[in-house]
Amino acid sequence: MKVKTTCYKINELFETIQGEGSFTGQPSIFIRLQGCPVGCSWCDTKHTWEIDPQLQVASDVMLGKTQESDYWSELSIEQILETITTEGYQAKHIVLTGGEPCMVDLKPLCEALEQAGFSCQVETSGTFEIRVSDNCWVTVSPKVNMRGGYEILTSAMSRANEIKHPVATEQHVDELKALLAEHQITTTPVYLQPISQKPRATELAIKTCIENNWRLSVQVHKYLGIE
């Protein structure tokens, strides 16, 4: 009997510096999965939303991309580990992002990566069940009232190691406060992230962080001009 190989649809796989949240400044390997139905209007990775079979390409084409595109490859866990070795990546922290990575079961991938000596982090909207290893660091960036109509899950909020919330207006702050109260979140670190680095959003985030003893996440990679 042939054992089914676990594969993942991947838009990008690259090494950089984590620019957000608790791991800001950490050398990291990003694995960006394809597919997301949440529909955030200000999303900066809209090219990962659709899974179009006609846009599936070979892994070398996906790895060789020099600009954002909706081309994606399907890689097995073994191929992912082999790619990391072949590319000569040195980082030992891996970020699973998207798209919405929690649309699929990430536990086999996390466990294989951890067994190979990596630490894992997943970045999710909190609208899908989080299926990861016990040691995986979970960053929930709750997406409230988005076009896709998905609700934030209590299980996702409870599993979060950190909550990273994009803000541009007072309404975004009010939505977060209501969400924290609804799910009885009191001790999980909260980061506010100004949307698009706009001055007014940044000023609001700073003021709100001081008022609530929250933390600021400024997307350092965008200020540095790196991916």
Side-chain angles (χ1 to χ4, degrees):
M1 179 177 176
K2 187 176 180 180
V3 178
K4 184 178 180 180
T5 302
T6 302
C7 294
Y8 296 91
K9 294 176 174 59
I10 297 174
N11 181 279
E12 290 183 284
L13 198 164
F14 60 95
E15 187 176 50
T16 186
I17 297 291
Q18 170 63 286
E20 303 177 359
S22 298
F23 288 96
T24 295
Q26 176 81 38
S28 303
I29 298 166
F30 274 68
I31 301 177
R32 187 180 303 284
L33 278 72
Q34 190 77 12
C36 182
V38 179
C40 305
S41 60
W42 36 260
C43 176
D44 57 3
T45 57
K46 291 182 179 180
H47 57 285
T48 66
W49 286 8
E50 301 298 330
I51 300 176
D52 185 343
Q54 294 185 347
L55 296 175
Q56 182 176 357
V57 297
S59 59
D60 60 331
V61 176
M62 181 270 292
L63 292 167
K65 290 195 293 187
T66 58
Q67 59 184 7
E68 294 179 350
S69 78
D70 45 10
Y71 294 127
W72 57 274
S73 296
E74 190 166 76
L75 272 65
S76 68
I77 293 173
E78 294 74 19
Q79 288 173 316
I80 290 170
L81 287 166
E82 181 182 350
T83 298
I84 291 170
T85 300
T86 302
E87 293 295 313
Y89 293 152
Q90 299 299 306
K92 293 300 181 182
H93 183 68
I94 292 185
V95 181
L96 304 173
T97 187
E100 173 46 77
C102 289
M103 289 175 62
V104 298
D105 185 357
L106 297 169
K107 189 174 182 179
L109 177 57
C110 289
E111 291 179 343
L113 291 169
E114 289 168 355
Q115 188 173 359
F118 298 95
S119 59
C120 291
Q121 175 185 4
V122 63
E123 298 180 338
T124 175
S125 63
T127 58
F128 287 83
E129 292 292 340
I130 299 173
R131 293 170 288 173
V132 296
S133 62
D134 292 341
N135 292 324
C136 181
W137 181 275
V138 175
T139 301
V140 173
S141 183
K143 302 303 190 294
V144 182
N145 297 326
M146 295 299 163
R147 189 179 69 185
Y150 289 84
E151 297 292 328
I152 307 300
L153 303 181
T154 298
S155 61
M157 294 294 287
S158 299
R159 178 60 179 83
N161 295 103
E162 65 178 354
I163 293 169
K164 179 164 58 68
H165 192 62
V167 295
T169 67
E170 290 283 0
Q171 180 180 343
H172 295 142
V173 175
D174 292 341
E175 289 173 344
L176 176 60
K177 289 181 177 179
L179 197 64
L180 295 175
E182 176 187 352
H183 297 284
Q184 301 180 15
I185 304 299
T186 58
T187 60
T188 307
V190 174
Y191 286 83
L192 293 189
Q193 188 160 286
I195 294 176
S196 302
Q197 301 85 48
K198 293 181 179 179
R200 288 183 62 185
T202 302
E203 291 169 7
L204 172 63
I206 292 171
K207 176 178 76 72
T208 307
C209 283
I210 293 172
E211 290 173 350
N212 294 275
N213 199 29
W214 293 342
R215 307 177 187 185
L216 184 68
S217 176
V218 294
Q219 295 187 291
V220 168
H221 57 292
K222 293 191 175 181
Y223 285 98
L224 295 176
I226 60 176
E227 190 170 13

